[in-house]
Amino acid sequence: KQWYQRRVRGSRPMQIVQEYLARKDWAPAEEEDFKDWLWDVWFTLYKRGRARGRSGDSSGFEHVFVGEIRNGSVIGFHNWIQFYRLEKMGKVDYRGFIGGKRTQDTDFMITIQFSWDEDLDDKEEGAVKYVGGTLLGTSPEFEMAMYTLAWVYGKEKGVVNMPVTIGEHEFWLIAHVYKGKYLGTCFASRTPQR
């Protein structure tokens, strides 16, 4: 929580997002209220999926920045720092980039396939992320600010495809609102989603 309060909440990208959202009356203007609101958006635990016995097993932050394994597949996991960290530990196996119609700008964003094995002592290959994408070189503070904005826009429709241009880079921010109120996922993509 200290990292969140010190780094994320106090970051310039998040301050800009707070000012914008408060002007639109989409988020609290008071700093303490906004801090609590933002914490709830990213860290409130909720039940993802239909498995019995699970209660409060996911959050927006866990899904987007850490990743989750469900039914042998990796879900979420949209952060390059987490990928780099786990790859250095030998827990992530890069299986190649996804080409085809997708253009690759390996200085800014990649679309890849990989497996994730938390238990390196077993003989299994781990869960697979068949198509995963991430921005490269961005800070978690910047990503949380962008994804928060996309999630707020998405609350109206359940899913949002928000076109973004940063310098010469054009991409889409995708946000899914889960059960009408939770941050289900947010990520950057070269193409809009349904």
Side-chain angles (χ1 to χ4, degrees), residues 32 36 41 111 131 167:
E32 283 302 309
D36 293 341
V41 168
T111 305
V131 178

Side-chain angles (χ1 to χ4, degrees), residues 7-148:
R7 297 289 306 266
V8 175
R9 181 50 217 113
S11 71
R12 187 63 188 137
M14 195 56 81
Q15 290 169 356
I16 292 168
V17 166
Q18 178 188 5
E19 290 165 10
Y20 177 79
L21 294 175
R23 236 184 358 261
K24 297 277 191 181
D25 277 337
W26 292 341
E30 294 298 318
E31 187 163 340
E32 283 302 309
D33 293 338
F34 182 78
K35 183 173 65 175
D36 293 341
W37 175 86
L38 192 64
W39 178 267
D40 289 344
V41 168
W42 282 99
F43 296 98
T44 294
L45 292 174
Y46 58 87
K47 181 179 176 179
R48 184 184 295 270
R50 297 185 179 123
R52 291 180 185 229
R54 287 186 175 167
S55 162
D57 64 344
S58 185
S59 71
F61 184 85
E62 178 183 13
H63 183 84
V64 173
F65 288 94
V66 178
E68 302 175 90
I69 297 175
R70 296 287 161 91
N71 302 320
S73 294
V74 176
I75 60 172
F77 203 125
H78 303 294
N79 182 259
W80 72 273
I81 296 170
Q82 173 74 339
F83 185 88
Y84 173 76
R85 189 179 72 76
L86 292 178
E87 188 177 40
K88 275 187 80 166
M89 295 168 61
K91 293 184 176 191
V92 166
D93 181 22
Y94 168 75
R95 294 187 171 185
F97 75 91
I98 307 297
K101 294 181 181 178
R102 292 181 173 92
T103 58
Q104 294 291 324
D105 179 352
T106 55
D107 292 335
F108 180 66
M109 177 190 296
I110 57 171
T111 305
I112 59 174
Q113 183 176 99
F114 62 91
S115 64
W116 180 15
D117 190 357
E118 279 294 304
D119 184 7
L120 297 177
D121 294 331
D122 67 15
K123 303 292 185 221
E124 296 181 24
E125 289 187 20
V128 175
K129 179 82 172 183
Y130 291 99
V131 178
T134 183
L135 296 171
L136 296 173
T138 52
S139 71
E141 298 86 351
F142 175 76
E143 288 185 33
M144 282 183 86
M146 278 197 325
Y147 296 157
T148 299

Side-chain angles (χ1 to χ4, degrees), residues 139-186:
S139 71
E141 298 86 351
F142 175 76
E143 288 185 33
M144 282 183 86
M146 278 197 325
Y147 296 157
T148 299
L149 186 60
W151 175 77
V152 169
Y153 276 112
K155 283 185 76 175
E156 294 297 315
K157 299 176 186 171
V159 176
V160 71
N161 290 283
M162 191 165 84
V164 176
T165 302
I166 299 177
E168 73 272 6
H169 304 290
E170 295 179 0
F171 59 98
W172 296 84
L173 282 182
I174 312 301
H176 290 264
V177 178
Y178 189 69
K179 294 187 177 179
K181 61 181 177 179
Y182 300 112
L183 192 151
T185 192
C186 289

